[in-house]
C-alpha cells in the first residue's frame, strides 16, 4: 500500500497510533517509525514527550467525537489500540471502546483514510473450551463486556469496508507481554517482536478487505488457526516454549476451574461490578 510522500521511501506520510501510552502502544510507538515520516501518538493518559520531528503527541479522549475527528486530520492510516483493555463496568467500556471505536471509523470516513489496524482481542471467542481449535470463521463467543466491545469493533470494520471501502485488519491479540505469565499464556502468548511484525503486515498487505487474524506467536499448543489470514504474510518467529519449565513450577488453578478450562481464562468470570 502506498501513501502520499514526496520526500522519503516510507510507505506512509503520517500514521495515527491510539493507546500510545499503554503497554503495546509504547512498543509500537518505536516500531511504527520505520513505516511513516510522522507518527501521531495519542492517549488519554500521560505520554512521553515527542522523540523528535517524526512524532506528534496529541492528548485525546476517544469518547470525544470532535477530538477524534481532529486527531485523524492529514493521517494516512490508523493503528487503533486505545481503550479499556480488561473487563470493567459496561458504562466505562461503552465510552472508551464502543463509542471510541465508532469515532475512529467516522474519522476515517471523513478524512478519506483507507486502512485501519484494530486491536481486537481473543476475548471475542473466550467462551470456547481450551481443547477446541478455532479460526476466523468460528462463531464468536465473547466472554465479557470487554470482549463484546471488541466484537462490535470487528462489526464496525466489516460495515465500514462494505459501505465505504475502508480496509481493516482486526488483530485478535492473545497475550502480548514481555513473557507469558501463566500456563494459559503458553498457548496465547504474542511476543513484542511478533506483534510489531504483525502490525507491519496489517498495514502493508494489499487488499485485506476486513481480515481477522489471531495475534499469537509460534507456540507449541495453539488454539487458533490463521488459515484465513494467510494473505497477510504474518510469519511469527517466537515461541513460548522457552518459558514452559518455569511456568509449570508455579501454583496452578484447579483443573476444573473455569479459568483453566476456557480460552478466555480469568476474563470468563470477571465482574459483575455493580
Ligand atoms: P493498555 O491498557 O496498556 O493500553 C490501552 C491504552 O488506552 C492506555 O494507555 C489507556 O490510557 C488508553 N485509553 C483507555 N481509555 C481511553 C480513552 N477513553 N481515550 C483514549 N485513550 C484511552 O493495553 P495494551 O496491553 O497496551 O493493549 C493495547 C490494545 O490491545 C487494547 O485495545 C487491548 O484491548 C488490546 N489487546 C491487548 C492484549 C495484550 O495482551 N496486551 C491482548 C488483546 C487485546
Ligand atoms: C486481553 O484482551 C487483555 O487486553 C490483556 O490484558 C490480556 O489479559 C489478554 O487479553 C489475555 O487474554 O491474556
Amino acid at each position: 500500500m502506498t501513501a502520499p510522500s514526496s520526500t522519503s521511501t516510507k510507505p506512509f506520510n503520517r500514521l495515527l497510533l491510539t493507546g500510545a501510552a499503554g503497554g503495546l502502544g509504547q512498543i509500537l510507538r518505536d516500531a511504527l517509525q520505520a513505516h511513516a515520516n510522522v507518527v501521531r501518538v495519542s492517549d488519554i493518559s500521560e505520554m512521553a514527550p515527542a522523540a523528535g520531528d517524526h512524532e506528534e503527541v496529541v492528548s485525546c479522549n476517544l469518547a470525544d467525537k470532535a477530538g477524534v475527528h481532529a486527531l485523524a486530520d492529514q493521517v494516512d492510516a490508523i493503528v487503533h489500540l486505545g481503550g479499556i483493555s480488561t473487563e470493567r463496568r459496561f458504562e466505562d467500556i461503552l465510552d472508551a471502546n464502543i463509542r471510541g471505536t465508532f469515532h475512529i471509523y467516522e474519522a476515517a470516513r471523513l478524512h478519506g483514510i483507507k486502512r485501519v489496524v484494530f486491536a481486537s482481542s481473543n476475548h471475542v471467542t473466550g467462551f470456547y473450551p481450551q481443547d477446541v481449535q478455532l479460526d476466523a470463521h468460528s462463531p464468536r463467543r465473547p466472554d465479557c463486556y470487554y470482549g463484546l466491545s471488541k466484537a462490535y469493533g470487528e462489526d464496525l470494520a466489516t460495515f465500514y469496508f462494505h459501505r465505504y471501502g475502508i480496509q481493516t485488519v482486526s488483530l485478535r491479540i492473545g497475550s502480548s507481554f514481555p513473557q507469558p505469565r501463566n500456563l494459559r499464556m503458553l498457548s496465547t502468548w504474542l511476543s513484542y517482536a511478533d506483534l510489531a511484525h504483525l502490525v507491519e503486515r496489517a498495514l502493508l498487505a494489499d487488499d485485506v478487505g476486513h481480515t481477522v487474524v489471531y495475534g499469537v506467536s509460534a507456540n507449541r499448543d495453539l488454539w487458533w488457526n490463521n488459515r484465513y489470514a494467510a494473505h497477510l504474510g504474518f510469519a511469527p518467529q517466537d515461541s513460548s516454549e522457552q518459558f514452559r519449565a518455569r511456568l509449570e513450577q508455579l501454583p496452578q488453578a484447579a483443573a476444573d476451574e473455569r479459568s483453566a478450562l476456557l480460552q478466555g481464562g480469568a476474563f470468563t468470570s470477571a465482574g459483575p461490578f455493580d
Side-chain angles (χ1 to χ4, degrees):
M1 147 165 289
T2 307
S5 169
S6 55
T7 56
S8 96
T9 55
K10 292 184 180 178
F12 297 98
N13 185 38
R14 182 177 282 99
L15 288 174
L16 169 61
L17 173 67
T18 69
L24 304 190
Q26 292 178 63
I27 299 299
L28 291 176
R29 191 171 164 170
D30 288 338
L32 290 180
Q33 286 178 31
H35 309 302
N37 296 322
V38 179
V39 181
R40 181 175 292 161
V41 298
S42 183
D43 206 293
I44 196 173
S45 301
E46 194 173 345
M47 290 167 282
D53 289 347
H54 61 278
E55 278 196 333
E56 297 170 343
V57 178
V58 184
S59 184
C60 180
N61 183 345
L62 290 161
D64 170 10
K65 187 174 189 175
V68 174
H69 289 192
L71 206 53
D73 187 39
Q74 303 292 317
V75 161
D76 301 308
I78 302 174
V79 179
H80 179 42
L81 304 185
I84 289 170
S85 61
T86 54
E87 180 63 332
R88 292 257 285 272
R89 291 169 64 245
F90 177 73
E91 289 75 9
D92 297 334
I93 303 266
L94 177 64
D95 279 341
N97 294 20
I98 295 180
R99 286 190 213 283
T101 304
F102 168 66
H103 294 159
I104 287 287
Y105 276 95
E106 275 297 277
R109 177 181 70 81
L110 291 165
H111 290 280
I113 299 166
K114 292 298 183 194
R115 178 66 57 101
V116 176
V117 178
F118 170 55
S120 183
S121 170
N122 72 89
H123 295 286
V124 165
T125 51
F127 264 131
Y128 279 94
Q130 294 185 357
D131 58 2
V132 171
Q133 202 179 67
L134 307 179
D135 59 41
H137 293 183
S138 302
R140 295 181 298 201
R141 290 190 191 174
D143 60 20
C144 53
Y145 297 133
Y146 164 71
L148 283 165
S149 76
K150 297 297 188 179
Y152 175 73
E154 292 184 4
D155 283 345
L156 278 175
T158 298
F159 169 71
Y160 276 83
F161 173 60
H162 291 293
R163 181 68 178 82
Y164 300 111
I166 297 171
Q167 300 196 36
T168 296
V169 180
S170 289
L171 316 177
R172 286 186 185 166
I173 301 170
S175 306
S176 195
F177 300 103
Q179 298 183 2
R181 297 171 172 175
N182 50 43
L183 279 192
R184 170 180 169 272
M185 290 191 191
L186 290 175
S187 288
T188 61
W189 187 57
L190 174 68
S191 73
Y192 284 163
D194 285 338
L195 167 77
H197 164 59
L198 176 59
V199 171
E200 174 184 298
R201 295 313 311 146
L203 280 169
L204 300 181
D206 286 326
D207 300 327
V208 296
H210 176 209
T211 296
V212 173
V213 59
Y214 282 92
V216 67
S217 284
N219 305 325
R220 188 188 79 180
D221 303 324
L222 289 172
W223 301 336
W224 310 314
N225 183 312
N226 275 328
R227 77 187 87 198
Y228 296 111
H231 53 284
L232 295 181
F234 171 51
Q237 300 299 309
D238 292 321
S239 165
S240 61
E241 214 43 33
Q242 59 185 306
F243 305 105
R244 179 176 295 279
R246 180 176 60 78
L247 291 172
E248 285 182 345
Q249 301 303 313
L250 298 177
Q252 308 300 332
D256 58 350
E257 268 184 30
R258 189 181 253 197
S259 63
L261 294 172
L262 296 174
Q263 295 193 3
F267 281 59
T268 61
S269 48
F273 299 105
D274 295 320

